[in-house]
Amino acid sequence: MAWTSPPASPSGSAGSGATLEAARFREVLSAVPTSVVVVTALDRGEPVGLAVGTFLSVSMNPPLVGFLPAATSSSFPRIRQAGAFCANVLTVNQQHVSQAFATSGADKFAGLSWRPAPVTGSPVLEGVAAWIDCRITTLHEAGDHFIVIGEVADLDAAPEETPLVFHRRRYTGAAGPTAA
Ligand SMILES: Cc1cc2nc3c(=O)[nH]c(=O)nc-3n(C[C@H](O)[C@H](O)[C@H](O)COP(=O)(O)O)c2cc1C
């Protein structure tokens, strides 16, 4: 796929093209609103997890979902080792949970209540808008990220909850239905 290069700096003093391209990539992609999902697993009895904005529904038959962890994630190797994960869809009241799970090396589960998901035992966080319990089936490399696909083993949702949304580097809530 071809990339359109940003125009060269007239003065030549605004940094390298690679830097400009990364900044522009981030700026433009921040216009795409995403869900905020905490992907959890139990690694040898210890809960692990990270916040992602890349959770996606993949296939109905068989039921598959996915997410894209960075190659630098310190939690993903442990999720991979577990062979399973639970996708926890955060609500508008759980921004602090997102922040905790977006902080590498933090004691992410401190002060949080969770229960084991029915099939894989991966943590289901209290108060989430939905949870999807999965077994990892496929792993692809994609640039500086992985694409992780999981087969859904069990799932549930709390439709009365307002999901958390991340847009232009800010948290917001998913708006209710609009008039047709
Ligand atoms: C809204 C939001 C979305 C994020 N999306 C992703 C993502 O899709 N993939 C990823 O690897 N990191 C994502 N992150 C960043 C990770 O949560 C962050 O790098 C975290 O520190 C990783 O923790 P770990 O080192 O324990 O794996 C996101 C963070 C936030 C706040």
Side-chain angles (χ1 to χ4, degrees):
M1 176 180 157
W3 283 94
T4 306
S5 301
S9 161
S11 67
S13 62
S16 70
T19 306
L20 283 176
E21 195 168 293
R24 180 149 176 78
F25 181 90
R26 285 198 194 93
E27 178 60 27
V28 172
L29 271 294
S30 78
V32 181
T34 74
S35 61
V36 184
V37 168
V38 170
V39 176
T40 60
L42 258 198
D43 178 29
R44 288 163 282 205
E46 201 183 326
V48 296
L50 78 158
V52 303
T54 51
F55 178 74
L56 68 159
S57 170
V58 174
S59 158
M60 184 62 241
N61 186 22
L64 302 176
V65 296
F67 68 99
L68 281 75
T72 53
S73 163
S74 56
S75 294
F76 179 62
R78 302 184 65 186
I79 295 169
R80 183 179 185 173
Q81 161 83 25
F85 64 88
C86 183
N88 291 266
V89 181
L90 297 190
T91 74
V92 73
N93 299 316
Q94 292 181 310
Q95 291 179 32
H96 61 291
V97 179
S98 173
Q99 284 309 120
F101 281 87
T103 307
S104 205
D107 183 3
K108 298 179 173 186
F109 286 83
L112 283 186
S113 296
W114 61 271
R115 62 191 156 84
V119 178
T120 75
S122 309
V124 176
L125 304 182
E126 191 172 35
V128 291
W131 56 266
I132 301 110
D133 188 20
C134 308
R135 291 190 191 88
I136 295 176
T137 58
T138 323
L139 188 66
H140 303 279
E141 283 185 25
D144 55 12
H145 279 62
F146 292 105
I147 302 172
V148 181
I149 305 295
E151 179 149 12
V152 177
D154 202 350
L155 75 174
D156 201 5
E160 70 283 4
E161 297 287 355
T162 301
L164 184 60
V165 169
F166 198 64
H167 182 221
R168 293 206 179 280
R169 304 186 187 95
R170 287 172 185 267
Y171 292 106
T172 178
T178 50

